[in-house]
Amino acid sequence: MASLSLGLHLSRKKGIARNAAVERKNLITVCRFSVKTLIDRSCFDTIDDSSPEFTNFVSILEQILTHRLKGQINWFGYESPRSFWDFIRVACTKVPHNCISSIENMENVSSSRAKGRAWLRVALMEKRLSEYISASLRDFRTTRRFYEEGAVILGEEAHMLADMLIGLNAIDFSFCLKGEILDGNCPAVIDYTPYLKFTQSSDSISSDEEELRTLGSSGSESSTPENMGPSHIMDESSWYSKCKRIEQKYRLALEQKGYLEELVRLRETQLSESVSQNKVLLKRLEDTQVTHKLEKEQLEYIVIELQDQLKSFHSLEQLSAEISLSQTSLDPTHLQDIDGKLEGSSSRSEGKEDTPSLLGLCGSLTSVASYKSLASLKSSECLASPTTEMTSPGLTPS
């Protein structure tokens, strides 16, 4: 019994895992079809809330974001359902320049589901839906807190979802965020009929024709050329339907080719503009570097010139100080003191006459020039003292 219960438990667990895997695969596949249909429709018509392709895409994305989303536990232990906006509001707060606060402050949007739908439309208009999804997937702790095991957001399919949503950046969306479109009461329903297309193989078509031919021939005993008419008509109709299908596929491939070529031309134009802007910026950078180098050299030259001027100024100050010292040494009061000393010495000579050589040598002491000559002679010790003059043998009176 224990082995039987264990086998039942394992089989039930495998069945649950298989169902979760199939559910994830179905949602991702349908989302990929929806994105392609939306891109194809944008080539010929404007995408807005009235477009059935957009309505179906938003419904699929809501189903993916709410797949195995955990409920919120209240104070009484009851679990209340959550909206994917609760997860987006927490996981996308680190996205730079995000629109979370603006969605929270919208006046006409009150419910959590309506805010999530408004966020989807704003992210599509900003061309940042893939960026928001990628940022929320990188916050692994938050995704674990909000989703159960087996959810699309926790699987490898989530990264495929972020990659396929990049193609929507080529579409210019325009939505109205008011009215009953964002009503959170009506749930999102996916329409699978546009993606359920059955193509009958050629072997199956031939087997059907054989069965019809057998049924037609069993009613008559002999088959005549007239009885073969319906089969030939059926063959012609089948070939005509095949040609129609091939023609439709060719037109679709041609439209996709034109769209991709236009997208490539747009990207090439953007790339060429970016390259030209890069060249202009590099040229500006080089000019700025040259200008800064010249300014630096000029400033260095100015600093050197100022240093030289400062040195010359110091030398001039030194010279002026020396000149002032020399002028104070030649002051007339100082010279008068010297003259007084000389007169005292001459009075002590007791009436002795000065020799003509001495008078001629000293000159007149009344002028400044004579003072200067006297000082110079005295400093050079060329002028003898009065006592020496009086006692020298050559200057004694006869």
Side-chain angles (χ1 to χ4, degrees):
M1 289 296 292
S3 60
L4 182 60
S5 62
L6 182 61
L8 290 173
H9 178 69
L10 291 176
S11 61
R12 187 181 303 168
K13 197 171 182 179
K14 287 181 181 178
I16 292 172
R18 185 257 178 193
N19 293 338
V22 171
E23 194 173 6
R24 291 196 304 269
K25 185 178 178 181
N26 289 340
L27 287 173
I28 293 296
T29 304
V30 173
C31 185
R32 184 169 66 250
F33 289 157
S34 177
V35 170
K36 289 182 178 180
T37 307
L38 204 59
I39 293 174
D40 295 340
R41 180 62 182 271
S42 66
C43 299
F44 309 102
D45 199 0
T46 306
I47 304 298
D48 53 8
D49 288 300
S50 62
S51 176
E53 289 83 3
F54 174 74
T55 305
N56 210 26
F57 166 74
V58 173
S59 302
I60 294 169
L61 202 57
E62 285 187 27
Q63 291 286 344
I64 291 175
L65 293 175
T66 55
H67 183 248
R68 291 183 176 271
L69 183 66
K70 293 180 181 179
Q72 188 174 7
I73 307 297
N74 54 19
W75 288 97
F76 301 100
Y78 296 103
E79 184 176 0
S80 58
R82 260 178 177 168
S83 174
F84 67 91
W85 170 248
D86 299 328
F87 165 70
I88 293 297
R89 179 172 52 83
V90 177
C92 296
T93 52
K94 296 181 181 179
V95 178
H97 308 291
N98 58 72
C99 61
I100 304 299
S101 59
S102 60
I103 298 296
E104 286 284 354
N105 297 328
M106 291 180 69
E107 297 179 355
N108 59 330
V109 178
S110 58
S111 65
S112 180
R113 184 178 292 178
K115 289 180 181 179
R117 291 176 178 177
W119 168 78
L120 285 175
R121 285 160 175 79
V122 172
L124 286 171
M125 286 191 289
E126 291 180 348
K127 302 182 186 298
R128 300 179 65 188
L129 182 59
S130 177
E131 181 183 355
Y132 282 112
I133 297 296
S134 300
S136 62
L137 292 177
R138 286 194 295 269
D139 193 354
F140 190 71
R141 182 178 298 177
T142 304
T143 54
R144 281 286 181 184
R145 185 159 57 92
F146 278 88
Y147 288 93
E148 299 177 355
E149 289 291 337
V152 179
I153 298 299
L154 295 178
E156 297 178 357
E157 296 86 357
H159 299 285
M160 297 171 58
L161 174 66
D163 293 337
M164 71 176 67
L165 291 177
I166 297 177
L168 297 177
N169 296 339
I171 305 175
D172 295 327
F173 293 96
S174 179
F175 304 110
C176 178
L177 302 179
K178 297 180 181 179
E180 299 178 354
I181 299 172
L182 303 177
D183 187 13
N185 296 325
C186 55
V189 179
I190 303 175
D191 184 13
Y192 291 96
T193 54
Y195 318 115
L196 298 177
K197 186 177 180 181
F198 175 70
T199 303
Q200 194 174 9
S201 62
S202 58
D203 297 335
S204 178
I205 293 173
S206 61
S207 63
D208 291 342
E209 292 174 357
E210 289 293 335
E211 289 178 2
L212 292 173
R213 192 179 297 114
T214 303
L215 291 173
S217 62
S218 62
S220 59
E221 294 178 358
S222 60
S223 62
T224 58
E226 289 80 2
N227 294 332
M228 299 297 292
S231 63
H232 289 292
I233 294 173
M234 188 178 298
D235 292 338
E236 291 178 0
S237 63
S238 63
W239 282 110
Y240 181 75
S241 62
K242 285 182 181 180
C243 290
K244 280 291 184 183
R245 286 195 297 269
I246 293 173
E247 186 179 359
Q248 289 177 358
K249 289 182 179 179
Y250 173 74
R251 287 180 180 177
L252 182 61
L254 189 63
E255 291 171 357
Q256 291 178 352
K257 178 177 175 291
Y259 166 72
L260 293 175
E261 288 177 352
E262 185 67 25
L263 190 62
V264 168
R265 282 195 294 269
L266 179 63
R267 294 293 182 265
E268 287 178 352
T269 305
Q270 293 176 353
L271 181 61
S272 62
E273 291 177 356
S274 301
V275 170
S276 61
Q277 291 178 0
N278 190 17
K279 289 181 180 179
V280 171
L281 292 176
L282 288 176
K283 180 65 177 175
R284 288 180 182 177
L285 182 61
E286 291 177 358
D287 296 341
T288 307
Q289 288 178 351
V290 171
T291 307
H292 288 174
K293 187 176 180 180
L294 292 175
E295 290 179 354
K296 183 180 178 182
E297 292 177 355
Q298 291 178 358
L299 290 174
E300 290 177 353
Y301 177 75
I302 290 171
V303 169
I304 294 172
E305 188 175 358
L306 289 174
Q307 289 177 354
D308 294 339
Q309 291 180 1
L310 187 62
K311 289 179 181 178
S312 62
F313 180 73
H314 285 318
S315 63
L316 287 174
E317 281 186 348
Q318 214 167 17
L319 184 59
S320 64
E322 292 176 358
I323 291 172
S324 63
L325 287 174
S326 63
Q327 286 179 354
T328 53
S329 64
L330 296 176
D331 194 13
T333 58
H334 184 65
L335 293 175
Q336 287 177 3
D337 295 338
I338 297 173
D339 192 9
K341 290 179 181 180
L342 290 174
E343 286 178 356
S345 63
S346 61
S347 63
R348 284 196 300 270
S349 65
E350 295 180 354
K352 291 183 179 179
E353 294 181 355
D354 296 329
T355 59
S357 61
L358 181 62
L359 292 173
L361 182 63
C362 294
S364 177
L365 297 176
T366 58
S367 64
V368 177
S370 62
Y371 289 143
K372 290 183 180 180
S373 61
L374 181 62
S376 61
L377 288 172
K378 193 172 184 180
S379 63
S380 60
E381 295 182 358
C382 294
L383 182 63
S385 64
T387 57
T388 309
E389 291 175 358
M390 294 302 294
T391 57
S392 63
L395 296 178
T396 57
S398 58

